[in-house]
Amino acid sequence: MFTINAISALGITLILFGFLYYLAKRRVNFGIRTLIAMLFGILIGLVFQGQVDLVRIFGQIYTRLISAIVVPLIFISVIASIIKLENTAKLKSIGLGSIFWLSLNTLIAAILGVLVSKLFKLGVGVTILENAEASTATVPTLLETILNLFLRNIFAHAANQEIIPLLIFALMIGFTFVKLRERIDRKST
């Protein structure tokens, strides 16, 4: 079923995992351990080319675990960050600053994209062949796009890794907490 090389790759990988665990116990910096692990992965890939099916599962499990934690981590982090702000004035200041820098970044990227495409004459001489089987996608209207920014089902959006509606929902929750805290503080004074 599996070749001796595939089993050897698995054995060596498990030994290297043990070494990485030993480094963790010795409190070696996580960044250094990550670089060492990356080098180990490259070496195993080069030595056992095409014979890493048994090792590949570790990477697949790791990426699935990372993907599973990204959405809840972002959601909770946004809420926690907003709740730490004392009042809506700080929230407004940070929000406007973020929008400004994001807009500036987008403008610079668009200008650079146009300049580079003009400089290198991208697309000149390219012939696009039409495929009879190709289907055209429908572009949502502006109103549909705005509506899709808001949460319909938190679990469906999380499962599909649709971050924007989750972020807007998290912002709304955090903002509500800050407003409620301001209201409670005003009533208590």
Side-chain angles (χ1 to χ4, degrees), residues 5-27:
N5 281 345
I7 295 170
S8 299
L10 176 62
I12 292 172
T13 300
L14 292 174
I15 291 169
L16 293 175
F17 279 158
F19 178 68
L20 290 170
Y21 179 75
Y22 169 77
L23 291 178
K25 287 293 184 184
R26 298 280 317 241
R27 300 199 187 278

Side-chain angles (χ1 to χ4, degrees), residues 133-149:
E133 296 175 14
S135 62
T136 57
T138 58
V139 178
T141 66
L142 178 62
L143 294 177
E144 289 173 335
T145 303
I146 292 171
L147 186 61
N148 289 335
L149 291 176

Side-chain angles (χ1 to χ4, degrees), residues 65-119:
L65 290 173
I66 293 296
S67 294
I69 199 167
V70 164
V71 171
L73 186 63
I74 289 172
F75 188 73
I76 298 299
S77 297
V78 168
I79 292 173
S81 298
I82 293 173
I83 288 174
K84 287 181 182 177
L85 298 174
E86 287 101 28
N87 55 41
T88 52
K90 276 190 177 178
L91 183 62
K92 185 177 181 180
S93 170
I94 291 172
L96 290 174
S98 298
I99 290 171
F100 168 76
W101 288 111
L102 180 63
S103 300
L104 181 65
N105 188 27
T106 304
L107 177 67
I108 291 170
I111 291 170
L112 283 174
V114 169
L115 290 176
V116 167
S117 67
K118 290 290 185 187
L119 179 68

Side-chain angles (χ1 to χ4, degrees), residues 118-135:
K118 290 290 185 187
L119 179 68
F120 291 110
K121 296 180 173 67
L122 298 179
V124 172
V126 174
T127 308
I128 299 176
L129 301 175
E130 290 189 33
N131 186 351
E133 296 175 14
S135 62

Side-chain angles (χ1 to χ4, degrees), residues 130-183:
E130 290 189 33
N131 186 351
E133 296 175 14
S135 62
T136 57
T138 58
V139 178
T141 66
L142 178 62
L143 294 177
E144 289 173 335
T145 303
I146 292 171
L147 186 61
N148 289 335
L149 291 176
F150 293 92
L151 212 55
R152 188 174 335 125
N153 180 334
I154 191 167
F155 299 108
H157 288 290
N160 295 327
Q161 302 225 339
E162 296 170 359
I163 301 295
I164 301 298
L166 291 168
L167 277 176
I168 291 174
F169 187 62
L171 288 168
M172 290 168 54
I173 290 173
F175 183 75
T176 303
F177 271 103
V178 171
K179 289 299 272 182
L180 285 173
R181 186 183 318 134
E182 283 181 351
R183 187 176 292 170

